Amino acid sequence: MRRPSPIPRSSTPAEEQELSVADEFAQRRTLRERLTPGSPDPSTTEAPASDDSETLPISPYLGTWGRADSSVPLAADATPARPVPEPSETPSRREPLSPRDLWKATRARRKTLRAEIRRFTQRSRRRRLTGIAITAAVLLVIVGSVGAAYSPLFAVQKITVAGVQSLDASVVELALADQLGTPLALVSTEAVKEGLSAFPMIETYTLEAHPPNDLTVRVVERTPVGMLDNGAGYTVVDAAGVALLTSAERPEGFAMLEIEGGVESPAFAAAGKVMRTLPAALRAQVEVVTASTPNDVRLRLFSGAEIAWGSGEDSALKAHVLELTMAKSPGFALYDVSSPEAVVVG
């Protein structure tokens, strides 16, 4: 009886894949030999003798190339992956958190957050603190200075009057004695003006504070230009017509003013400007000043010489030319400087 042939074993997917890979490599090799010049034709080449030696499978050396399953190791002796422990059938159940635990967790989270904020804002906080410190120091200095200026530490203890010539400085200081004990910052200019109003010779004044306790009053006196005969006595006036001194008898050292129209007229303004421009030495030699118009100012000296001055224009130049002319040509009865470029003597 004939023995039945065995049923061929069906190939597994892995073996089929290995065969397909081997066939692909063989096809590529054949195509490369055909395209390479000088290579023997595989159709005429005899097949090599069959090798009965055992052939090892190439699947361990191909790795995961072309496979959907990537769990195959790259080499036969590769170390297998560590087994993952299977979870227990009955997982442990967590106990519910109490309100105290929640509060502690929230507090710890906020504490950590604050620490991180402080760490990242350290430089800006340092700058802010530095700015606050500088501002506080400046404010402290300002407040301290203002407080000290208005405190009795800077009160007036000494008043000095400077710039007086014909007035007595001690009398003026006595008139300002009500400012003693007042802080320098609180000295009233109105009160000082009221105290100096009793001295018509003072034209202007300035206050100078010298901490901690000194107050200096620097005054500018008016310049007397002559005296007016008012019938009942004599009044010394300045260039603005302000009465500086009143006397029943004629005071010495002042020229007599004979001006048409009085102190409010343009002729008086021109005569006052001329007398104020004259040097003090030449002004002391003038006995009488006459002016009928602003352009007709004339001076008469104690020596009897007359000076035709003209208008009040260029008074400084005329005074300089007059001094030079009188020094070069003394003893003349008339000096006409109405035109300073061409002086006439006679």
Side-chain angles (χ1 to χ4, degrees), residues 77-88:
D77 58 347
T79 304
R82 180 179 299 177
V84 179
E86 297 181 358
S88 59

Side-chain angles (χ1 to χ4, degrees), residues 41 52 58 67 73 87 96 105-106 112 138 155 185 219-220 268 304 310 346:
D41 190 359
D52 297 335
I58 63 172
R67 297 186 181 183
T106 305
T112 304
V138 172
V219 302
V220 177
F268 180 85

Side-chain angles (χ1 to χ4, degrees), residues 122-136:
Q122 182 177 5
R123 182 175 299 178
S124 61
R125 286 187 291 107
R126 187 183 296 110
R127 288 197 300 264
R128 184 165 57 251
L129 291 177
T130 303
I132 294 174
I134 294 175
T135 304

Side-chain angles (χ1 to χ4, degrees), residues 133-304:
I134 294 175
T135 304
V138 172
L139 291 177
L140 182 61
V141 171
I142 294 175
V143 172
S145 301
V146 173
Y150 287 89
S151 67
L153 297 175
F154 288 85
V156 178
Q157 298 181 5
K158 181 182 179 181
I159 298 177
T160 304
V161 178
V164 293
Q165 297 177 357
S166 60
L167 297 175
D168 188 355
S170 60
V171 177
V172 180
E173 293 173 1
L174 184 61
L176 301 176
D178 57 343
Q179 297 299 318
L180 294 174
T182 305
L184 289 173
L186 297 179
V187 173
S188 174
T189 55
E190 296 296 331
V192 174
K193 181 179 180 180
E194 183 179 355
L196 296 178
S197 61
F199 304 93
M201 282 293 296
I202 298 177
E203 185 175 6
T204 59
Y205 70 93
T206 56
L207 300 178
E208 299 178 1
H210 299 279
N213 307 112
D214 293 345
L215 177 65
T216 300
V217 181
R218 197 171 299 277
V219 302
V220 177
E221 293 185 352
R222 298 180 183 272
T223 302
V225 298
M227 57 183 175
L228 298 173
D229 187 359
N230 56 14
Y234 299 90
T235 303
V236 179
V237 295
D238 67 346
V242 178
L244 306 179
L245 176 65
T246 301
S247 175
E249 299 180 358
R250 179 175 178 172
E252 297 181 359
F254 300 102
M256 179 63 70
L257 301 178
E258 297 177 358
I259 310 297
E260 294 185 6
V263 296
E264 301 294 337
S265 64
F268 180 85
K273 182 178 181 180
V274 171
M275 290 297 293
R276 187 168 184 173
T277 307
L278 288 177
L282 185 58
R283 189 189 311 121
Q285 301 178 31
V286 178
E287 181 181 8
V288 180
V289 180
T290 61
S292 57
T293 64
N295 298 323
D296 185 25
V297 179
R298 301 180 69 89
L299 311 177
R300 188 175 71 216
L301 305 182
F302 284 102
S303 62

